[in-house]
Amino acid sequence: TAQNPDVYFQSRETVNPYYDAVPSILKEEMRKFAELTGREYAPVKYFGAPDAEKVIVVMGSGVETAAETAAFLSENGEKTGVLQVTLYRPFPADDFLATLPATVKSIAVLDRTKEPGASGEPMYQDVMITLMEAVSGRRLTAMPVIVGGRYGLSSKEFTPAMVKAVFDNLGAESPKNHFTVGIIDDVGHTSLDVDSNFTLDESDWTQALFYGLGADGTVGANKNSIKIIGENTELSAQGYFVYDSKKSGAKTVSHL
């Protein structure tokens, strides 16, 4: 069909109730999924100390690294936590506010994207608006300190040491905003200092590194190894594979 702007944008407003209904529908489907599989999901999930004062907000696979690091730091006296956003659009503001610890004093929102010229990356803006509206609507009595940062760009590593750097920044008297972690910025100096010697307790881990040449089968063999170990043992398995666009003959690295 063809529609003129007056009709089209009138109809665009009619979709609002459908977007508003998404979080409750998703939660019900996640509940059904949990009954079938035992794996529980939620639009927003929290990991860490119940009385956390420093919280990282993040999406995707970086949550696991951040959550394990927060747990390690909490065991050593720091009040840290991680808020995982699973539903990004429509942004689940009510679930976010209900899940965020009431004790929080400072928040770091990590985006895995870079938007030059913007006032902040997308999820940082969403979190900022959610909290500002909660304060203006008197759902929150005080506004925590909020900073935003970028991580994992170009598939850079996201390590426990980088997570600790983000938490350390939140504990600073004037936390750096619009920072990067994992990319060393010696031009604009936006990057956080990372203590490369910091690690979690890895005493019960088995880690291996395989070097190969593109097309020699090393990456494929190691991907199969990870699947075999993960499916046939009690171990949790993870693999990360590094190779570039030069294809055959270039160096490959397999992390298991």
Side-chain angles (χ1 to χ4, degrees), residues 6 15 66 79 103 130 133 168 236 239:
D6 58 332
V15 306
K79 296 180 179 180
T103 52
T130 296
E133 288 185 347
D168 288 345
S236 297

Side-chain angles (χ1 to χ4, degrees), residues 161-192:
M162 295 176 191
V163 177
K164 183 177 184 297
V166 175
F167 279 125
D168 288 345
N169 181 53
L170 285 179
E173 187 173 337
S174 298
K176 182 179 286 188
N177 200 356
H178 308 296
F179 60 82
T180 62
V181 63
I183 292 177
I184 299 174
D185 177 11
D186 58 356
V187 178
H189 307 290
T190 59
S191 49
L192 300 181

Side-chain angles (χ1 to χ4, degrees), residues 173-247:
E173 187 173 337
S174 298
K176 182 179 286 188
N177 200 356
H178 308 296
F179 60 82
T180 62
V181 63
I183 292 177
I184 299 174
D185 177 11
D186 58 356
V187 178
H189 307 290
T190 59
S191 49
L192 300 181
D193 293 329
V194 177
D195 178 8
S196 58
N197 294 317
F198 175 82
T199 60
L200 304 181
D201 180 11
E202 302 174 2
S203 58
D204 61 345
W205 297 9
T206 298
Q207 301 181 75
L209 203 58
F210 292 82
Y211 292 92
L213 295 175
D216 70 357
T218 302
V219 170
N222 283 303
K223 285 185 176 181
N224 284 333
S225 298
I226 280 290
K227 291 175 185 175
I228 292 167
I229 293 168
E231 292 172 359
N232 297 282
T233 74
E234 293 299 313
L235 297 172
S236 297
Q238 185 179 41
Y240 182 74
F241 305 91
V242 182
Y243 41 87
D244 62 28
S245 58
K246 292 190 281 290
K247 306 291 184 181

